[in-house]
Amino acid sequence: MSGGPPKALPSTGPHSLRDMPHPLAGSSSEEAVGGDSTPSPDLLMARSFGDKDLILPNGGTPAGTSSPASSSSLLNRLQLDDDLDGETRDLFVTVDDPKKHVCTMETYITYRITTKSTRVEFDLPEYSVRRRYQDFDWLRNKLEESQPTHLIPPLPEKFVVKGVVDRFSEEFVETRRKALDKFLKRITDHPVLSFNEHFHVFLTAKDLNAYKKQGMALLTRVGESVKHVTGGYKLRSRPLEFAAIGEYLDTFALKLGTIDRIAQRIIKEEIEYLVELREYGPVYSTWSTLEGELAEPLEGVSACIGNCSTALEELTDDMTEDFLPVLREYILYSDSMKSVLKKRDQVQAEYEAKLEAVALRKEDRPKVPADVEKCQDRMECFNADLKADMERWQNNKRQDFRQLLMGMADKNIQYYEKCLMAWESIIPLLQEKQEAK
């Protein structure tokens, strides 16, 4: 985590990435240089990120995560390395206490945002404000505008299908709260985004609407520079490392989308099976009233099916609340990364076009104009930030999915153990009847 607020950096001519400052950051975005970092082993483009001579801005500190956890021994043995740097963090944000507000024109949910920090830009050590979903959406849009070279974490989808999902139900609100909490924690753990002025206002302003109405132009020079880049330039070809990133993201999103669809079908079938079990068990109980010696075993079967129903309901809830949201978050994450990649391509295309225009001038040694040098700075800035954020994203992904898959395995083991114990409990009842005869 960076130890101080951003400072101004100058924009000069072409440099190597080793010595290059963040030229477009202006007065509000210095890139914090992280410690040594090792590329994720599951990154297909590992060779692209393995250049030992390249020192990237803000690279190396894995972001902390808060994926679903389990109390079982399996997960207790799972050691995650994302908490090792916890002592160095100086900004902590949590989302909790959802409340429903009913107004004349609308009904909505707000969440309490609690911030604790020792940073000098915070006047108080702790803040507590309430925000609704559209405030989170405003924050993300502002981060995209002011930090276009960085990967902005995704928000959970805003719209739900009416009549299918009740957006005011306790389950839906809690799932959204977890997603919003993770969204802010992703930003908090980022060495550049966490110093953004809009993020500071989001965490501290009592009346965020008043701030929005002021229309304050807090876009950094980076945002303005990329904002005016149009699609009129055509990219010849992506560098191999960025082409590999694009191909990886396409395949990754495709695989996750397939898993998400299948998982939803499985959950739907489990819910239908659960309905059948709840009708199936009581039949044995009513039957037992007609029998003498079989009464106790039949009651045992009914209780066994009831226990299996409860275990299946718990498993289905875990899949719905813990597994599916992580899949969807990373599908949206891949879309965000593709968006940054396209912006980078636009800057490269602009640079190539301007460089070609200079080369066509009828001069022996044409002087490179300042706007071409600045365009080169923008491209190098995009390259460095995109690589660093990609590596950070890969680290988070590895940790999140390792914990998620371990949790899924543990929950399935618990489910089958409960079912096994339930059915084994019937055997002594049957054996007693046989011995009695």
Side-chain angles (χ1 to χ4, degrees):
M1 179 68 67
S2 299
K7 300 178 182 178
L9 289 174
S11 175
T12 58
H15 295 281
S16 68
L17 289 181
R18 173 189 292 277
D19 303 319
M20 186 191 72
H22 211 297
L24 299 179
S27 60
S28 61
S29 65
E30 175 186 13
E31 300 297 331
V33 179
D36 293 336
S37 59
T38 303
S40 171
D42 58 348
L43 181 61
L44 299 181
M45 304 77 64
R47 190 169 298 178
S48 302
F49 296 97
D51 187 357
K52 299 296 183 60
D53 296 327
L54 184 66
I55 299 179
L56 301 178
N58 65 290
T61 304
T65 57
S66 57
S67 298
S70 169
S71 59
S72 71
S73 59
L74 278 175
L75 285 187
N76 289 337
R77 293 198 299 268
L78 178 60
Q79 300 296 323
L80 297 178
D81 56 2
D82 58 334
D83 292 328
L84 296 180
D85 62 339
E87 296 180 357
T88 64
R89 296 176 183 170
D90 53 7
L91 179 62
F92 300 87
V93 180
T94 57
V95 179
D96 60 9
D97 189 28
K99 287 186 178 180
K100 184 177 181 180
H101 300 260
V102 180
C103 303
T104 305
M105 300 298 294
E106 62 176 340
T107 302
Y108 59 92
I109 304 292
T110 64
Y111 304 85
R112 180 175 62 189
I113 315 298
T114 304
T115 304
K116 298 181 181 181
S117 179
T118 57
R119 294 184 180 180
V120 294
E121 60 265 31
F122 289 91
D123 297 329
L124 301 175
E126 183 173 343
Y127 293 84
S128 180
V129 297
R130 299 201 71 85
R131 300 285 183 255
R132 56 187 297 186
Y133 181 90
Q134 68 180 28
D135 298 327
F136 287 85
D137 191 46
W138 170 86
L139 171 62
R140 191 178 189 283
N141 289 334
K142 288 299 181 182
L143 290 175
E144 280 194 329
E145 291 176 357
S146 56
Q147 311 283 176
T149 64
H150 286 287
L151 172 63
I152 310 301
L155 279 172
E157 295 96 337
K158 176 178 177 59
F159 299 102
V160 296
V161 180
K162 292 184 178 181
V164 177
V165 178
D166 179 7
R167 65 190 183 97
F168 298 113
S169 67
E170 183 177 346
E171 294 79 9
F172 178 83
V173 171
E174 176 60 16
T175 299
R176 172 163 285 187
R177 183 203 65 78
K178 290 179 180 178
L180 295 176
D181 182 75
K182 179 172 284 189
F183 169 73
L184 292 186
K185 282 181 168 56
R186 301 285 198 200
I187 300 173
T188 299
D189 291 332
H190 196 286
V192 176
L193 300 181
S194 63
F195 286 99
N196 185 275
E197 294 180 70
H198 299 294
F199 185 48
H200 181 270
V201 170
F202 176 86
L203 297 178
T204 61
K206 285 295 182 182
D207 186 2
L208 188 62
N209 289 327
Y211 175 81
K212 295 177 184 178
K213 292 176 182 177
Q214 292 176 4
M216 297 178 64
L218 294 181
L219 290 179
T220 63
R221 295 177 189 177
V222 180
E224 289 292 349
S225 63
V226 178
K227 182 180 179 181
H228 297 298
V229 175
T230 65
Y233 301 102
K234 185 176 181 181
L235 181 67
R236 294 177 180 174
S237 63
R238 280 177 177 170
L240 291 178
E241 55 188 330
F242 294 109
I245 291 176
E247 292 174 1
Y248 171 80
L249 292 173
D250 289 339
T251 304
F252 176 74
L254 180 63
K255 298 298 183 184
L256 280 196
T258 302
I259 293 174
D260 181 55
R261 288 191 298 273
I262 295 175
Q264 290 189 61
R265 289 203 301 268
I266 291 174
I267 291 174
K268 181 182 177 181
E269 292 172 359
E270 287 177 344
I271 293 175
E272 294 173 350
Y273 177 51
L274 183 59
V275 172
E276 298 292 342
L277 282 180
R278 286 172 176 168
E279 295 180 1
Y280 184 53
V283 175
Y284 286 91
S285 181
T286 56
W287 179 17
S288 67
T289 60
L290 305 177
E291 303 292 341
E293 295 181 353
L294 284 178
E296 191 174 0
L298 290 174
E299 284 288 356
V301 171
S302 179
C304 169
I305 296 174
N307 291 335
C308 292
S309 299
T310 302
L312 180 60
E313 183 177 14
E314 294 174 354
L315 178 64
T316 303
D317 290 343
D318 289 331
M319 287 284 289
T320 303
E321 297 172 7
D322 296 336
F323 185 73
L324 292 183
V326 175
L327 293 182
R328 289 165 184 164
E329 181 201 13
Y330 272 92
I331 291 173
L332 294 173
Y333 238 136
S334 64
D335 291 338
S336 299
M337 180 64 82
K338 291 177 186 177
S339 177
V340 179
L341 198 57
K342 288 181 180 178
K343 293 176 185 177
R344 182 226 156 266
D345 290 346
Q346 291 177 355
V347 174
Q348 179 185 339
E350 180 189 16
Y351 171 68
E352 290 175 349
K354 290 185 176 182
L355 199 62
E356 185 177 356
V358 173
L360 292 176
R361 292 179 184 177
K362 296 181 179 180
E363 300 178 15
D364 294 336
R365 291 185 178 180
K367 183 179 179 181
V368 178
D371 65 323
V372 178
E373 293 183 350
K374 289 181 180 179
C375 193
Q376 182 185 17
D377 288 340
R378 282 203 302 272
M379 185 178 67
E380 291 178 344
C381 176
F382 253 110
N383 292 347
D385 289 349
L386 186 57
K387 289 178 182 178
D389 280 359
M390 183 66 179
E391 184 174 330
R392 181 179 294 101
W393 179 75
Q394 287 284 359
N395 288 333
N396 289 339
K397 176 173 63 67
R398 183 184 67 250
Q399 293 166 5
D400 285 348
F401 276 95
R402 183 175 63 174
Q403 186 171 1
L404 180 69
L405 296 175
M406 284 291 291
M408 182 173 67
D410 182 62
K411 293 297 182 181
N412 276 276
I413 291 172
Q414 289 184 30
Y415 165 70
Y416 287 109
E417 285 178 343
K418 290 176 182 177
C419 291
L420 179 63
M421 291 175 60
W423 286 108
E424 285 180 339
S425 66
I426 302 176
I427 295 178
L429 296 177
L430 297 174
Q431 290 177 337
E432 289 176 3
K433 295 299 180 182
Q434 291 176 351
E435 292 173 358
K437 291 181 179 180

